[in-house]
Amino acid sequence: EGLKLIITDSQAMDILDKWVPQSIPLTTFSVMMANYMSYGNLGLFIKGLGALSLLKNGDKILIMESCNHNRQGDDIGTSQIPRLIKEKLGLELKINFSFGRVMPDDLSQYKLAIHCGGCMADRQKYGRRIIKLKEAGVPVTNYGLFLSWAHSPRAAKRVVKIFQP
């Protein structure tokens, strides 16, 4: 009968999107967590990807993680995502970071927030962070969606397909 679904690390989408036949559903752990943590509101994060095309030199974005893990070398949030933003968009953006419970007081200054999947947070705290971004009018997307998009827009559509009716 074959595979019904492959769930991968977001950082492996560049390889697995090429290797896994299109007939096999493929998503990432981060996208699954964002869907779960947001009570199925993945559409908000998909919509947030659209803000990437609106960014201009000098705009501020916020990269957010729910936890305070020890960052090493080529860290996904502080190294890989900023590098991919520069490579894919060719823009000089002001990137701020938010780790753990700490969030900037003035969220309205940001043109986009890129949030982790939230695996180390509870749903209430994660949801509150997303609500604060929405209230401030800040588009938000997710690490897994962003990394899939950075690989190819087709890959971004692929990782969310299993969640759409």
Side-chain angles (χ1 to χ4, degrees):
E1 203 172 291
L3 294 172
K4 300 290 184 193
L5 173 66
I6 294 177
I7 304 166
T8 187
D9 187 285
S10 300
Q11 298 170 86
M13 273 304 292
D14 59 340
I15 295 169
L16 287 179
D17 185 46
K18 294 174 191 166
W19 288 356
V20 175
Q22 292 294 312
S23 60
I24 300 173
L26 174 65
T27 194
T28 73
F29 176 74
S30 181
V31 170
M32 289 191 73
M33 281 301 299
N35 185 62
Y36 171 75
M37 296 295 278
S38 68
Y39 297 89
N41 197 9
L42 193 60
L44 177 71
F45 298 96
I46 296 167
K47 184 178 176 188
L49 276 179
L52 290 165
S53 65
L54 304 174
L55 294 173
K56 298 178 193 81
N57 280 322
D59 281 348
K60 284 186 174 182
I61 67 168
L62 180 63
I63 297 177
M64 305 175 73
E65 292 187 1
S66 297
C67 67
N68 282 317
H69 71 275
N70 291 329
R71 280 145 195 83
Q72 300 176 11
D74 200 26
D75 181 71
I76 190 169
T78 57
S79 180
Q80 290 181 38
I81 290 175
R83 183 177 60 245
L84 284 167
I85 288 170
K86 187 164 179 73
E87 286 175 15
K88 297 297 178 179
L89 299 177
L91 299 173
E92 293 293 333
L93 301 173
K94 296 175 183 169
I95 300 174
N96 291 45
F97 301 93
S98 171
F99 305 111
R101 296 181 195 163
V102 179
M103 282 182 67
D105 291 330
D106 180 16
L107 292 172
S108 67
Q109 65 185 308
Y110 298 103
K111 300 294 182 188
L112 174 66
I114 303 175
H115 203 296
C116 70
C119 65
M120 297 302 291
D122 64 52
R123 286 174 100 180
Q124 182 180 7
K125 288 178 187 166
Y126 184 91
R128 186 70 192 134
R129 295 165 71 97
I130 302 308
I131 288 169
K132 284 184 175 186
L133 289 165
K134 282 177 67 175
E135 288 173 347
V138 180
V140 61
T141 195
N142 163 270
Y143 277 26
L145 279 170
F146 172 79
L147 291 170
S148 297
W149 171 88
H151 168 60
S152 79
R154 188 198 80 231
K157 289 179 182 170
R158 187 175 186 187
V159 297
V160 298
K161 191 174 182 181
I162 65 163
F163 302 101
Q164 298 172 332

